[in-house]
Amino acid sequence: MDMGKVSDYFDDYSAYMEIDQLKVENGYPSDLANHQCIHLFYCSTCHSEELKQIQE
């Protein structure tokens, strides 16, 4: 399941911050320039999590 942007999980207010500003601070230096968004995916069968780059 796509659980949304990983930056939404940074703190209580990150879901309300500017997306481009969060991209500068998220640890993925190329996502802003490449117009990508890092999403958290979760598997309810094996309970694993994975981060994937999604093209905007």
Side-chain angles (χ1 to χ4, degrees):
M1 290 187 298
D2 185 347
M3 303 301 290
K5 300 185 315 268
V6 72
S7 59
D8 288 349
Y9 297 93
F10 288 168
D11 62 35
D12 293 341
Y13 299 102
S14 60
Y16 306 104
M17 295 176 67
E18 289 291 326
I19 293 171
D20 287 348
Q21 180 62 35
L22 287 169
K23 286 182 178 185
V24 172
E25 301 172 5
N26 71 1
Y28 294 87
S30 64
D31 62 341
L32 181 61
N34 293 334
H35 303 283
Q36 295 173 329
C37 190
I38 310 301
H39 277 228
L40 174 66
F41 284 82
Y42 175 73
C43 176
S44 59
T45 304
C46 66
H47 305 287
S48 65
E49 297 176 344
E50 185 175 338
L51 298 178
K52 293 189 176 195
Q53 295 176 330
I54 306 297
Q55 195 65 40
E56 293 178 335

